[in-house]
Amino acid sequence: MAPGTVEEMFFRDSGHIEFQTENSDGVFQGKSDTSETISDLSRRLENLENVREKDYLEARSRETELLSRIQETEDLYERRIRKLKQLSFGQSKEISSLKNQLESIVRNIAMPTEKSSGNTSYSLVDRFSRSDAHFPPVAFYAYSSTTLRHLARRMLPFDTVITNIGNGYNKYTGAFTCSVPGIYFFTWTAYVGGGVGHHVDTELHRNGHPVAFAKGGSTTYLAMTGSASAILELAVGDAVWVQVSEVTGDHTVLYGEKTNFSGFLIQYL
């Protein structure tokens, strides 16, 4: 070898590898034993393999757990869907049974027609077929804004309207006219004044016929009220109002604001 150059020489015996270097004087020296390097690399490789195996096992475990949760969720939803289907099927059978019963009732009962004073008529068939229809509520409340005098047998005007849902009440006539057939509740109050022994009898009229009565008066100089209520079944076009039937005393009056009339629909028929 040329002086001043460095060359490596390798020797192999029974799997043992060494290398030596030649210095500038031509003398060979041992540099390192590669068996330690190989052993260290082997350990690192083994560690990497162990880490990879551990990560793989953890990933498999997470995958298994996730699949198990997904399966549990699917089973839960399947049970809920089956339960909802069973419930829906039972409700459908019940609805079908109720429809059949209703049809049987309609076929077996008489069908009288309830005619109003207008052009509209309602039969039991109409009632059943429209039982699920929406009808707006009906209600009114009004009072007299002034003191009422000269009361003998007159229809009482309640000219201040607070509520008039359905527009059935007419403040000019004091009458409520039915536009939705049904059961109605009515009440009225007459606040009577004028002196000792004065009183006023009032009546609730339906189509001109008295159906309820109230008496108001006093035995002192204090004003007293007379009030009453009634529940009536009305057809379309029926009219209801309050009317004075008897008065005692020339100076008997009904005080405004405290004399009122109201009513509302309880049940559509």
Side-chain angles (χ1 to χ4, degrees):
M1 296 182 183
T5 64
V6 178
E7 292 186 9
E8 295 181 343
M9 298 186 64
F10 296 88
F11 302 90
R12 184 187 306 271
D13 60 336
S14 64
H16 183 73
I17 300 174
E18 293 182 343
F19 67 91
Q20 293 179 329
T21 59
E22 180 185 11
N23 60 15
S24 60
D25 298 327
V27 178
F28 289 96
Q29 295 178 346
K31 186 175 183 181
S32 64
D33 191 344
T34 60
S35 62
E36 293 182 1
T37 302
I38 293 174
S39 177
D40 182 60
L41 291 174
S42 297
R43 285 194 302 272
R44 292 183 180 182
L45 180 60
E46 183 179 359
N47 288 336
L48 289 174
E49 289 290 339
N50 291 336
V51 170
R52 187 184 70 83
E53 181 68 19
K54 182 179 179 182
D55 291 343
Y56 173 76
L57 292 176
E58 289 181 354
R60 290 285 297 176
S61 176
R62 292 177 181 176
E63 181 183 7
T64 302
E65 181 181 359
L66 180 59
L67 290 175
S68 176
R69 290 182 179 179
I70 292 174
Q71 186 63 45
E72 290 177 357
T73 303
E74 290 179 350
D75 293 341
L76 176 61
Y77 279 112
E78 286 181 0
R79 290 195 298 270
R80 289 182 177 178
I81 290 172
R82 286 196 299 269
K83 186 175 180 180
L84 288 173
K85 286 182 178 179
Q86 293 173 355
L87 181 61
S88 176
F89 179 72
Q91 290 177 340
S92 298
K93 290 181 62 177
E94 184 178 358
I95 291 172
S96 178
S97 176
L98 290 174
K99 285 184 177 179
N100 292 334
Q101 293 178 29
L102 181 59
E103 291 174 359
S104 176
I105 291 173
V106 173
R107 285 193 302 267
N108 293 330
I109 63 176
M111 300 295 179
T113 300
E114 299 176 6
K115 295 184 177 180
S116 68
S117 58
N119 295 324
T120 305
S121 62
Y122 295 91
S123 68
L124 293 179
V125 173
D126 295 325
R127 294 179 182 179
F128 282 121
S129 63
R130 299 186 305 159
S131 60
D132 59 345
H134 173 71
F135 285 86
V138 180
F140 73 94
Y141 170 70
Y143 66 85
S144 176
S145 62
T146 60
T147 298
L148 301 177
R149 307 176 188 276
H150 311 295
L151 301 172
R153 291 201 169 275
R154 61 177 291 189
M155 209 171 153
L156 294 180
F158 302 92
D159 58 338
T160 302
V161 179
I162 303 301
T163 303
N164 195 15
I165 300 173
N167 295 317
Y169 178 75
N170 187 324
K171 68 177 183 178
Y172 299 105
T173 63
F176 168 79
T177 302
C178 175
S179 60
V180 178
I183 301 173
Y184 286 79
F185 175 84
F186 295 97
T187 185
W188 77 98
T189 297
Y191 195 63
V192 183
V196 177
H198 290 206
H199 72 271
V200 175
D201 294 346
T202 54
E203 300 172 337
L204 184 70
H205 280 239
R206 177 176 57 186
N207 299 330
H209 303 286
V211 292
F213 311 88
K215 179 184 288 290
S218 67
T219 57
T220 67
Y221 286 98
L222 297 176
M224 300 291 288
T225 61
S227 62
S229 303
I231 296 176
L232 303 176
E233 180 178 350
L234 301 181
V236 174
D238 285 347
V240 179
W241 65 84
V242 177
Q243 180 173 311
V244 174
S245 60
E246 185 177 342
V247 179
T248 300
D250 295 334
H251 302 289
T252 303
V253 297
L254 295 179
Y255 290 115
E257 297 184 356
K258 297 178 182 179
T259 297
N260 54 70
F261 180 33
S262 62
F264 59 88
L265 174 66
I266 300 174
Q267 176 64 55
Y268 163 76
L269 294 178

